[in-house]
């Protein structure tokens, strides 16, 4: 089968392309910006890439056009597909029809922590020898890739996004995934570009829960009112609760060393295991519990799952240390929702010692943040930072005005180089610089590190 994938350089569609190649299909694709690192991965896999969405691509005559959600009406290729009555489907639909039926699917959903929890779960399953497949919206350091086919009949871990599927299918992606185990980690309002309010997102989760098998398993965080409302609307699948005394929960803190957090795990209120994790903060403890609970639902013992966590090395762009100059460390994180920003800062604060300061560097880049829907929550979300540096490029609202409540702790600029200069001027030995964005942020991490090195040499 020949697939031509429209929007191939996104994490999901790029991963799908590599999985299809592993199944023996011929794969080609196009995107508005064919860029590394995904373009390098695809070319290495023998996948030919085309820049743009031109109608001349019809001459490829693939067996099926697989359409990502970057495709829009008005693009020449899309208009030609419709006018020529070509056969096309969405990426999630193709996964459901041609791949996921071979595996025991574990789908990880939630507003926050999907990538971390999916990565943890895939690693636990791999560590105990189950040879899982996965498709994750990030790159776990233990695997070095975001997608892998895995062994037929093994578990397949997929990050279950609530974003819409395609321009012709406005259902959430996860409705296609036919999950045996569904992880519901948390639920808040996000994606204001496609959802009117939290109730609209809850309805998509409700539709998904109604399609889960009665012989499957839901792994659900107990302290989430929105998820409680979802399950109250109808649930036909057994539920394992976590972060609550009715299931798995976090016990006492244990001695930490070498950048690890350590804590006991309770099952129904009784201590059963210890966990050492490189992931910091209460939000990551919840992610760890979710992954352990899901692994247990797939047949892994609690002791094996907890032991595996200590061997997990983290995920690129999730509190990833990008470099250190003169005792100043620069971290990269994907946080872009106010809750995720607050959780990430609090996790870093737990690791800070003595007089170490946290310098938060923020790019409000997600569609929701660009719309300014959650801007009023930003000052409180940044409270744990000693200094805040905000990039205003691409915004039609004033970030400086929004962060005025932080007083002289906040500095904003429309000029990225000027922002970097301000950061470097303020930075001193022992500082932790935390860069938060769901995009490339103009390579700001490397710019900060280079400027710090130049300052040190001078």
């Amino acid at each position: 089968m020949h697939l031509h994938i429209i929007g191939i350089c996104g994490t999901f569609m790029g991963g799908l392309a590599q999985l299809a190649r592993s199944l023996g299909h011929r794969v080609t694709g196009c995107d508005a910006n064919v860029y590394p690192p995904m373009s390098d991965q695809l070319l290495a896999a023998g996948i030919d890439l085309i820049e743009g969405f031109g109608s001349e691509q019809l001459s490829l005559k693939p067996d099926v056009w697989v359409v990502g959600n970057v495709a829009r009406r008005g693009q020449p290729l899309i208009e030609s597909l419709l006018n020529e009555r070509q056969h096309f489907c969405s990426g999630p639909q193709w996964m459901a029809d041609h791949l996921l039926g071979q595996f025991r699917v574990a789908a990880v959903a939630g507003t926050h922590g999907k990538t971390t929890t999916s990565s943890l779960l895939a690693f636990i399953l791999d560590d105990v020898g189950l040879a899982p497949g996965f498709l994750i919206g990030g790159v776990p350091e233990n695997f070095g890739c975001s997608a892998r086919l895995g062994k037929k009949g093994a578990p397949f871990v997929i990050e279950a996004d609530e974003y819409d599927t395609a321009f012709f299918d406005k259902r959430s992606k996860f409705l296609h995934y036919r999950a045996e185990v569904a992880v519901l980690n948390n639920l808040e309002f996000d994606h204001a570009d496609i959802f009117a309010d939290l109730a609209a997102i809850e309805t998509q989760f409700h539709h998904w829960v109604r399609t889960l098998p009665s012989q499957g398993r839901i792994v659900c965080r107990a302290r989430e009112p929105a998820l409680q409302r979802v399950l109250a609307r109808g649930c036909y699948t057994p539920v394992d609760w976590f972060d609550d005394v009715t299931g798995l929960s976090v016990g006492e803190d244990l001695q930490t060393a070498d950048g690890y957090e350590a804590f006991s795990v309770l099952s129904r209120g009784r201590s059963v295991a210890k966990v050492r994790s490189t992931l910091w903060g209460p939000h990551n403890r919840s992610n760890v519990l979710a992954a352990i609970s899901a692994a247990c639902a797939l047949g892994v013992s609690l002791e094996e799952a907890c032991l595996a966590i200590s061997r997990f090395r983290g995920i690129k762009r999730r509190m990833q240390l990008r470099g250190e100059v003169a005792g100043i460390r620069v971290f990269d994180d994907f946080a872009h929702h106010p809750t995720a920003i607050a959780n990430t800062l609090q996790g870093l604060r737990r690791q800070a010692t003595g007089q170490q300061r946290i310098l938060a560097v923020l790019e409000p880049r997600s569609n929701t943040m660009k719309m300014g829907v959650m801007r009023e929550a930003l000052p409180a979300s940044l409270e744990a930072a000693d200094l805040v540096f905000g990039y205003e490029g691409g915004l039609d609202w004033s970030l400086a005005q929004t962060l005025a409540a932080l007083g002289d702790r906040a500095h904003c600029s429309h000029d990225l180089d000027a922002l970097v200069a301000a950061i470097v001027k303020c930075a001193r030995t022992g500082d932790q610089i935390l860069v938060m964005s769901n995009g490339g942020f103009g390579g700001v991490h490397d710019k900060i590190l280079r400027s710090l090195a130049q300052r040190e040499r001078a």
Side-chain angles (χ1 to χ4, degrees), residues 40 64 75 146 225 309 315 338 348 418:
D40 294 338
V64 61
Q75 293 171 342
S146 60
I309 296 296
I315 311 124
L348 185 56

Side-chain angles (χ1 to χ4, degrees), residues 86 93 116 139 186 215 236 278 331 337 371:
Q86 295 284 306
Q93 185 65 58
T116 299
V139 180
N186 45 65
Q215 293 184 351
Y236 307 89
T278 57
F331 292 92
H337 185 287
M371 293 169 66

Side-chain angles (χ1 to χ4, degrees), residues 49-93:
L49 305 178
I50 299 172
E51 184 87 27
F53 303 111
S55 59
E56 74 281 355
Q57 294 176 50
L58 260 67
S59 64
L60 293 170
K61 297 181 180 180
D63 297 292
V64 61
W65 300 84
V66 184
V67 181
N69 62 12
V70 300
R72 299 284 184 270
R73 288 303 303 265
Q75 293 171 342
L77 180 55
I78 296 302
E79 296 306 311
S80 296
L81 290 182
L82 295 170
N83 291 332
E84 297 290 330
R85 299 186 180 183
Q86 295 284 306
H87 174 58
F88 60 85
C89 69
S90 70
Q93 185 65 58

Side-chain angles (χ1 to χ4, degrees), residues 425-439:
K425 181 179 179 180
C426 291
R428 67 192 188 205
T429 298
D431 284 349
Q432 320 270 358
I433 300 176
L434 173 60
V435 179
M436 293 176 285
S437 171
N438 70 336

Side-chain angles (χ1 to χ4, degrees), residues 29-271:
C30 65
D31 213 318
N33 295 294
V34 176
Y35 51 87
M38 182 57 76
S39 60
D40 294 338
Q41 294 179 39
L42 295 172
L43 290 170
I47 297 170
D48 294 330
L49 305 178
I50 299 172
E51 184 87 27
F53 303 111
S55 59
E56 74 281 355
Q57 294 176 50
L58 260 67
S59 64
L60 293 170
K61 297 181 180 180
D63 297 292
V64 61
W65 300 84
V66 184
V67 181
N69 62 12
V70 300
R72 299 284 184 270
R73 288 303 303 265
Q75 293 171 342
L77 180 55
I78 296 302
E79 296 306 311
S80 296
L81 290 182
L82 295 170
N83 291 332
E84 297 290 330
R85 299 186 180 183
Q86 295 284 306
H87 174 58
F88 60 85
C89 69
S90 70
Q93 185 65 58
W94 190 90
M95 289 280 294
D97 292 344
H98 298 279
L99 191 148
L100 294 179
Q102 304 176 31
F103 301 95
R104 302 177 65 193
V105 178
V108 179
T111 310
H112 318 292
K114 291 186 293 294
T115 297
T116 299
T117 305
S118 298
S119 300
L120 283 164
L121 176 56
F123 177 71
I124 293 170
L125 298 172
D126 192 70
D127 193 65
V128 299
L130 293 180
F134 54 83
L135 178 51
I136 298 170
V139 180
E141 297 283 6
N142 294 83
F143 297 123
C145 60
S146 60
R148 187 180 80 180
L149 192 58
K151 184 173 68 175
K152 189 174 182 179
F156 189 97
V157 179
I158 188 166
E159 192 168 316
D161 192 356
E162 70 270 28
Y163 209 79
D164 62 2
T165 299
F167 75 88
F168 53 87
D169 183 353
K170 292 303 177 183
R171 295 173 294 171
S172 291
K173 290 178 184 175
F174 53 47
L175 281 160
H176 295 277
Y177 293 158
R178 302 179 181 178
E180 175 185 334
V181 175
V183 178
L184 310 181
N185 203 355
N186 45 65
L187 185 53
E188 287 190 81
F189 181 59
D190 198 3
H191 307 308
D193 51 327
I194 60 170
F195 293 115
D197 49 32
L198 178 57
I201 307 177
E202 289 179 16
T203 294
Q204 291 293 317
F205 273 74
H206 164 64
H207 291 329
W208 188 34
V209 167
R210 287 180 63 87
T211 68
L212 297 174
S214 58
Q215 293 184 351
R217 187 76 60 175
I218 293 173
V219 173
C220 186
R221 187 169 187 246
R223 302 180 190 182
E224 291 287 321
L227 293 177
Q228 297 278 5
R229 291 193 295 269
V230 167
L231 296 185
R233 293 172 69 173
C235 179
Y236 307 89
T237 306
V239 180
D240 290 339
W241 300 100
F242 70 92
D243 220 2
D244 184 79
V245 292
T246 59
L248 291 186
S249 58
V250 173
E252 64 177 337
D253 285 347
L254 304 173
Q255 186 175 0
T256 61
D258 301 326
Y260 282 83
E261 282 201 346
F263 53 92
S264 62
V265 174
L266 311 180
S267 177
R268 299 186 181 277
R270 300 182 64 182
S271 181

